[in-house]
Amino acid sequence: MANLDPQLNSAPSKINHIHIMGICGTGMAALAGMLQSSGFTITGSDQNVYPPMSDFLADLGITVKSGYSKNNLEPRPDLVIVGNVITRKNEEAIHLAELAIPYLSFPQALSRFFINSRKSLVITGTHGKTTTCSILASALYHAELDPTFMIGGIVPEFGGNFRIGDGEYFVAEGDEYDTAFFDKKSKFLHYQPHIAVITSLEFDHADIFEDLQSIKRAFRKFVRLIPEDGLLIANFDDENVRDVISEARCNVQSYGLNSAYDWSLADVRRGESNLTSFTALQGGNHYSDIAIQLPGQHNCLNSLAVTAILHHIGVPSEKISSGLKAFSGVRRRQEIRGIEKGITVIDDFAHHPTAVRETLSALRMAYPDNRLVIVFEPRTNTSRRAIFQKDYVTAFDCSDVLCIREPVPLTNVAEDNQFSSAQLARDINETRERKAMAFNDTDAILSYLSTHLESGDIVAILSNGGFDNIHNRLIEILRNR
């Protein structure tokens, strides 16, 4: 077992070589790139070294060792950054403790090297963090404020998920998940928030949180971190969000659908050239007419939260509108992967029932006259539990056809507490005239789609993982059909 010395949980004054354990995670690879760009020599290790992250790191010239071993700490680094995929039983972590090398967690490193010297803008919430962060980073860039950011998704506009700028702002995606095996606090408690957004608050991450109340406690701690001269922008449509802001020391601005809020939406509509248009109201009065390239009311709300931040820091409304309109999206968020034989294949990250519902509603708005075929893979620790078994029944209401993959069972969860795709399909088919089907594997789904898809169909594939490369395989099948 790795018993790391708490006294060594800090960065030494002189650092040249930094080793990163768990380097192939999306955030860790981005951190590696940022640190290398800052002049440090970076090495790393991971159990799963494969594309696209292996190619990304290779292009940066970063040496990555496959598998964890005490030999990976030779030559001895000046600092080790430990990812939260690392456990106390990890051989490399045990040797790290034996060598008494200084160490940091991922969020500690992000804070130490990049947030300390900047003003932190933190986007938190159960849903919409990645998209809202990306919109904010893009809008700051277009407002010529030269932001630094790290985001949980690839932003095509920047060709990656991180950027180091010379401006005063750091845009951080505030994740409530735990930090590391030696620090069970939520990651966002390390991010020194000056301005923050809470987009939503629901139960999630069942592998680390017991219930909704334990998640609320983490958010209350986060809210208390915002200084008196800071700002919290809170989605007042969500009663759980309203519940956790009571101890805020800073100014709180509300946003949502109610015109009584500080910021609200009006007249959300599908505009020309697939733009979504809405009117932003401040205090119930007209502030600006805004058009975005993203479908759905939820993306209008994400853009409204960004509008509130930009207005607060002094960006003129015209620049806000033009910056929001310029943003073209995030990979794996309603991303069109290809169109073959008139069939559009879309990739999306949604897995929580609320995120699924909002994503499908947005797709229905964007494609009102098309058949919507949804392919869903329950893959997260939470979605593979029976916690949301009933909630998913109505989450897919906007679909015309639903294909659900049976999840890989969780080894540490009793059978009656596991999610069942077959049960979900039965429940959906009993409640409405929709075709819902469960499949044992990805090959069976592809076999069905290959013979049942028609020109004009919109196929949206929902998963937080690679889903056995189903997107490219389906496009290839359609191309050769």
Side-chain angles (χ1 to χ4, degrees):
M1 300 286 281
N3 294 310
L4 298 176
D5 183 352
Q7 298 298 316
L8 292 171
N9 187 207
S10 62
S13 57
K14 292 184 179 180
I15 305 172
N16 177 38
H17 175 196
I18 300 175
H19 181 76
I20 301 177
M21 297 172 60
I23 195 171
C24 288
T26 302
M28 294 293 267
L31 178 62
M34 295 175 77
L35 290 168
Q36 187 191 60
S37 298
S38 301
F40 298 103
T41 298
I42 306 299
T43 60
S45 57
D46 206 299
Q47 193 65 45
N48 301 303
V49 181
Y50 51 80
M53 282 306 151
S54 59
D55 292 340
F56 170 78
L57 293 165
D59 289 343
L60 291 174
I62 294 174
T63 300
V64 179
K65 302 291 181 63
S66 182
Y68 297 111
S69 166
K70 61 182 182 180
N71 295 328
N72 294 341
L73 297 177
E74 299 175 4
R76 179 189 176 101
D78 303 306
L79 174 70
V80 174
I81 298 173
V82 183
N84 74 346
V85 299
I86 306 301
T87 69
R88 291 187 182 276
K89 297 179 181 179
N90 183 288
E91 176 186 347
E92 200 168 311
I94 293 170
H95 196 53
L96 169 64
E98 292 169 348
L99 293 176
I101 299 172
Y103 65 94
L104 295 173
S105 65
F106 165 80
Q108 284 179 315
L110 196 63
S111 182
R112 161 65 175 78
F113 292 104
F114 300 103
I115 296 177
N116 275 350
S117 59
R118 296 173 174 88
K119 190 170 288 187
S120 183
L121 313 180
V122 186
I123 309 299
T124 72
T126 308
H127 314 296
K129 292 187 292 294
T130 297
T131 300
T132 306
C133 271
S134 303
I135 296 170
L136 176 58
S138 174
L140 288 168
Y141 178 79
H142 285 283
E144 301 178 343
L145 292 174
D146 202 14
T148 299
F149 63 80
M150 180 189 285
I151 296 169
I154 301 297
V155 186
E157 179 178 0
F158 299 107
N161 66 335
F162 71 90
R163 179 178 187 274
I164 299 177
D166 292 326
E168 67 174 312
Y169 297 110
F170 186 100
V171 179
E173 184 169 336
D175 187 358
E176 68 271 26
Y177 207 80
D178 63 359
T179 295
F181 74 81
F182 53 86
D183 179 359
K184 306 311 289 184
K185 297 193 302 294
S186 292
K187 291 178 182 176
F188 60 28
L189 298 179
H190 292 281
Y191 290 162
Q192 306 175 50
H194 186 80
I195 298 175
V197 172
I198 306 179
T199 64
S200 51
L201 210 169
E202 292 190 76
F203 182 67
D204 200 1
H205 306 308
D207 51 327
I208 62 167
F209 290 107
E210 293 181 4
D211 51 28
L212 178 60
Q213 292 307 314
S214 61
I215 294 179
K216 284 184 174 182
R217 284 194 291 272
F219 273 86
R220 288 191 180 98
K221 290 178 183 177
F222 174 81
V223 166
R224 291 196 292 268
L225 292 176
I226 307 171
E228 292 183 9
D229 63 344
L231 173 67
L232 174 60
I233 298 163
N235 180 1
F236 267 40
D237 289 339
D238 189 319
E239 63 178 336
N240 292 322
V241 173
R242 297 196 304 270
D243 186 40
V244 301
I245 64 170
S246 59
E247 297 180 35
R249 298 181 293 149
C250 63
N251 177 29
V252 177
Q253 292 185 10
S254 56
Y255 78 97
L257 301 177
N258 191 325
S259 61
Y261 297 158
D262 296 303
W263 295 91
S264 59
L265 294 180
D267 194 23
V268 177
R269 61 200 180 279
R270 187 185 183 202
E272 298 179 359
S273 303
N274 288 327
L275 294 173
T276 304
S277 300
F278 66 93
T279 299
L281 304 178
Q282 184 185 27
N285 300 313
H286 180 274
Y287 176 77
S288 181
D289 292 315
I290 295 172
I292 58 175
Q293 297 185 53
L294 309 175
Q297 179 176 272
H298 68 297
N299 280 319
C300 295
L301 286 168
N302 293 336
S303 300
L304 184 66
V306 170
T307 298
I309 293 176
L310 297 174
H311 174 77
H312 177 77
I313 65 176
V315 179
S317 61
E318 314 84 60
K319 277 197 171 185
I320 295 174
S321 296
S322 61
L324 294 177
K325 188 174 183 179
F327 179 70
S328 59
V330 190
R331 285 185 189 166
R332 305 221 60 207
R333 272 57 175 188
Q334 298 170 35
E335 177 191 6
I336 295 177
R337 293 287 293 269
I339 301 174
E340 291 291 340
K341 305 292 179 17
I343 299 165
T344 302
V345 178
I346 293 175
D347 184 12
D348 197 272
F349 197 77
H351 49 272
H352 188 285
T354 300
V356 169
R357 185 178 295 108
E358 292 295 337
T359 296
L360 268 57
S361 177
L363 290 172
R364 179 53 69 205
M365 175 186 284
Y367 303 99
D369 302 320
N370 299 75
R371 189 170 70 146
L372 197 54
V373 179
I374 304 301
V375 182
F376 177 56
E377 179 190 35
R379 183 177 175 275
T380 65
N381 275 297
T382 305
S383 64
R384 286 188 285 164
R385 288 170 162 85
I387 296 166
F388 294 131
Q389 185 79 49
K390 294 181 179 179
D391 297 275
Y392 279 121
V393 174
T394 58
F396 295 93
D397 279 354
C398 286
S399 68
D400 295 298
V401 178
L402 174 61
C403 302
I404 320 158
R405 190 193 192 283
E406 284 290 356
V408 176
L410 290 162
T411 57
N412 59 339
V413 175
E415 185 175 349
D416 58 351
N417 289 326
Q418 304 256 7
F419 174 82
S420 168
S421 295
Q423 184 61 54
L424 175 60
R426 287 193 293 270
D427 291 342
I428 289 175
N429 290 330
E430 286 178 1
T431 59
R432 61 194 182 101
E433 294 181 4
R434 304 287 185 189
K435 183 181 288 186
M437 295 159 287
F439 298 84
N440 287 329
D441 54 41
T442 305
D443 288 345
I445 295 175
L446 286 168
S447 178
Y448 172 82
L449 294 176
S450 67
T451 57
H452 287 80
L453 291 178
E454 304 168 0
S455 179
D457 284 350
I458 307 299
V459 185
I461 299 171
L462 312 184
S463 172
N464 78 324
F467 205 158
D468 300 323
N469 196 31
I470 188 174
H471 317 83
N472 292 333
R473 293 168 66 189
L474 176 58
I475 291 168
E476 186 65 22
I477 288 170
L478 295 174
R479 184 178 295 129
N480 296 323
R481 193 166 71 171

